[in-house]
Amino acid sequence: MRRLAFLMIALLGAPGVAKAQGDELAAVRLGIAVRPETVAVGDPIQLSVRVQAPAGATIEFPAGPDSGGALEATASRRIQPREVPGVVEQTAFYQLVAWDVGDLAPGFGDVVVRLGGAERRVPLGDVQVHVRSVLPTDTTLHVPKPPRPPLDVPVPWWQRWWPVILAVLLALLLAWWLWRRRKRRGDAAVEDAILFAEREFARVEALGLVDAGERGRHVALMVDVLRDYLARRLPEARASLTSSELVAALRASKLIPHGKLAAVLEEADLVKFARRPLSAERARELGRDARAIVRDVERAAAEQQQASDARRKEAA
């Protein structure tokens, strides 16, 4: 019975509380300021809406004007609270720009103030911005002047021919670049492959990488010299091939010690890509194997050339 009586008192008292809160919301105060009061098309406008409500109330400002209208927001809404004893006061600032002339309305929604279960909507429909026209008051007496005849200014000869001159210069520059590129390739081709390989092998060994603890780098550099030599010596041994592709591309060549080449490339790949541990002696041995493959190819090529020369002599 006591719980039932309490529930009845609560139900009977709720409308009174809501009515009291609604009466408090009747005291909501609103202030609007537009700076500057008169603008031209494209000028920035600051619109501030200040709302003062009873203590404990919440204030919800509209987000801004509709996009695509005569007034458009150039920045997000900024809300600044102010501490006033006994009330809640907040000011919303809107940055706008006008795209038409006359008295324009931003098209804001309502400010919503809530206190407990009561709610009050304060419309902002009477907000207007005056946008003046930059045109003169009377344009009917302004007659435009007739167009002037074009000036007969002599054009220098180089301005008429500069596209042709530029095209000739570009063609000469391209021809020079192609000549230099072909000359560099020719110089590289003239150098004997075996001389290149021996020089590079000696350079890598002089680095002392094995003694410095960089065994994998020593093996990788020695195998790179071997691959560069094969690319210079045999057209099918392109440097872009992987190890397995290189072995397959050279399978038909009689100059290559296929078993030794495949073993060196396979172990070098394990060292480079799988971080396979390597002793100092094994690193030096792989380097010597790479150098030996180069010499075997040169020896086989020389023997093949001698046999070809002997057959030509017999045929003659």
Side-chain angles (χ1 to χ4, degrees):
M1 292 296 293
R2 294 180 60 185
R3 293 180 58 186
L4 180 60
F6 176 76
L7 179 60
M8 292 178 63
I9 292 172
L11 292 175
L12 292 173
V17 173
K19 183 177 183 303
Q21 292 173 347
D23 293 340
E24 291 184 17
L25 289 181
V28 172
R29 299 176 61 186
L30 175 70
I32 301 173
V34 179
R35 295 184 182 87
E37 295 180 354
T38 302
V39 296
V41 174
D43 289 347
I45 308 166
Q46 178 174 287
L47 174 65
S48 61
V49 179
R50 182 173 61 88
V51 176
Q52 190 177 89
T58 60
I59 303 172
E60 181 180 339
F61 291 94
D66 296 333
S67 60
L71 285 172
E72 188 175 359
T74 60
S76 301
R77 175 195 63 192
R78 180 171 59 89
I79 299 177
Q80 179 178 339
R82 181 185 175 193
E83 295 184 2
V84 180
V87 296
V88 176
E89 182 175 312
Q90 294 180 1
T91 304
F93 295 93
Y94 300 88
Q95 298 293 332
L96 308 175
V97 66
W99 302 118
D100 202 351
V101 296
D103 293 327
L104 305 179
F108 282 111
D110 297 339
V111 177
V112 181
V113 182
R114 295 183 178 91
L115 179 60
E119 175 182 299
R120 181 182 175 186
R121 291 182 172 271
V122 183
L124 299 179
D126 56 347
V127 179
Q128 286 189 343
V129 177
H130 180 70
V131 185
R132 69 176 185 275
S133 174
V134 296
L135 296 175
T137 306
D138 186 7
T139 59
T140 57
L141 300 179
H142 292 266
V143 179
K145 296 180 180 180
R148 296 180 179 180
L151 297 177
D152 188 11
V153 179
V155 180
W157 67 269
W158 58 268
Q159 289 189 3
R160 291 195 297 265
W161 290 94
W162 72 263
V164 178
I165 297 173
L166 181 60
V168 172
L169 291 177
L170 289 177
L172 292 175
L173 182 62
L174 179 62
W176 174 82
W177 178 77
L178 292 174
W179 175 78
R180 285 291 304 273
R181 185 179 180 185
R182 182 175 298 178
K183 184 175 183 300
R184 290 177 180 175
R185 288 184 176 180
D187 293 343
V190 169
E191 184 181 15
D192 194 16
I194 186 60
L195 295 179
F196 161 79
E198 292 294 348
R199 184 184 71 242
E200 292 301 308
F201 280 136
R203 183 183 64 83
V204 174
E205 290 177 346
L207 295 176
L209 297 174
V210 177
D211 295 333
E214 299 188 31
R215 303 162 187 171
R217 187 182 176 195
H218 173 80
V219 172
L221 291 178
M222 294 294 279
V223 172
D224 285 345
V225 174
L226 167 62
R227 290 176 62 95
D228 290 341
Y229 162 79
L230 293 176
R232 288 170 176 258
R233 198 72 170 79
L234 304 170
E236 61 270 24
R238 298 187 304 274
S240 60
L241 298 177
T242 63
S243 297
S244 58
E245 292 173 345
L246 179 61
V247 171
L250 298 177
R251 187 169 294 139
S253 177
K254 298 180 180 180
L255 304 178
I256 304 297
H258 298 286
K260 186 184 296 185
L261 176 64
V264 170
L265 293 179
E266 181 179 0
E267 189 167 355
D269 286 347
L270 291 175
V271 172
K272 288 191 294 183
F273 305 118
R275 304 296 183 184
R276 182 175 181 177
L278 197 67
S279 64
E281 182 56 32
R282 184 55 184 162
R284 291 190 179 93
E285 185 177 352
L286 284 174
R288 290 194 294 269
D289 290 344
R291 201 164 194 170
I293 292 173
V294 170
R295 293 174 178 174
D296 290 344
V297 172
E298 283 297 318
R299 188 181 306 108
E303 293 174 357
Q304 188 180 68
Q305 185 64 37
Q306 290 176 0
S308 177
D309 293 341
R311 285 194 298 270
R312 283 199 300 269
K313 288 181 181 180
E314 291 178 359

